[in-house]
Amino acid sequence: MTAPVIGVLALQGDVREHVTALTGAGARAHPVRRPTELDAVDGLVIPGGESTTISKLVDIFEMREPIDKRIAAGLPVYGSCAGMIMLATEVLDGRPDQRGFDGIEMTVRRNAFGRQVDSFEAPVEISGVPGGPLHAVFIRAPWVERVGATVEVLGTVTDGPAAGRIVAVRRDNLLATSFHPELTGDLRLHAYFVDLVRTAT
Ligand code: GLN
């Protein structure tokens, strides 16, 4: 089977790391900035960065309507950290003018883990990802406070003050994590997404 083509939304954030991880996981990965580039992909990653900035740039680059349309048509999308925020239907502690793609029925809280633990790492078991817990890296990460009935919870924090917090979810072809698997060299989460894209196309 030929490798699926997966775009990484390249308006802001850690684009290159996702391109590398997706390539390692068997996809053909390209940065995507324009509607014509979006047309050519079988799946899309929205990287970590700053969701308020990504939201603004989505409008400036006239990508909102094209992405909304592809999501409505079933495009597989994986959002990490800021990308998770961009996929949520409701954002707490956001800026009033930030807008996402309303893809996954869930409430996320920005910068939820608090200032003292701006960044931290923890093992997280992800349902559907074999081989034991992922080493999850959280950087000013959101967590998920509520999910709708259509949303499957894939992973929660097991230890420490944030124990029980939902940090990985899926709704049909849409996947989101609070953490950054592209920073660890562990390709299992990207492989999970590449499989999802293969199955969807
Ligand atoms: N705090 C950032 C935001 O609100 C997300 C941080 C990240 O993506 N590492 O978008």
Side-chain angles (χ1 to χ4, degrees), residues 122-157:
V124 176
E125 187 87 48
I126 303 291
S127 156
V129 173
L134 264 80
H135 181 76
V137 177
F138 297 87
I139 305 167
R140 291 183 299 286
W143 66 39
V144 180
E145 298 210 346
R146 180 195 65 88
V147 292
T150 56
V151 180
E152 185 188 356
V153 173
L154 298 183
T156 53
V157 178

Side-chain angles (χ1 to χ4, degrees), residues 9-13 44-65 67-68 71 77-92 94-95 97-111 140-144 169 171 174-178:
L9 187 64
L11 303 177
Q12 191 259 343
L44 183 71
V45 168
I46 307 177
E50 175 47 59
S51 57
T52 55
T53 306
I54 294 174
S55 168
K56 266 189 215 134
L57 292 171
V58 161
D59 288 322
I60 290 169
F61 280 75
E62 298 182 344
M63 289 294 275
R64 188 169 300 277
E65 200 193 322
I67 293 174
D68 277 340
I71 288 178
V77 182
Y78 165 41
S80 163
C81 203
M84 170 187 257
I85 296 169
M86 291 299 295
L87 286 176
T89 49
E90 190 184 12
V91 178
L92 304 177
R95 278 179 47 139
D97 59 344
Q98 83 179 94
R99 275 175 61 213
F101 300 115
D102 291 339
I104 302 179
E105 192 197 343
M106 62 177 171
T107 303
V108 298
R109 186 176 294 280
R110 280 179 72 221
N111 305 332
R140 291 183 299 286
W143 66 39
V144 180
V169 295
R171 201 273 285 169
L174 305 178
L175 173 70
T177 65
S178 303

Side-chain angles (χ1 to χ4, degrees), residues 1 17 33 47 61 64 70 93 113 129 142 146 159:
M1 191 194 266
E17 291 82 354
R33 262 180 219 96
F61 280 75
R64 188 169 300 277
R70 289 290 312 265
D93 293 340
F113 291 93
V129 173
R146 180 195 65 88
D159 278 335

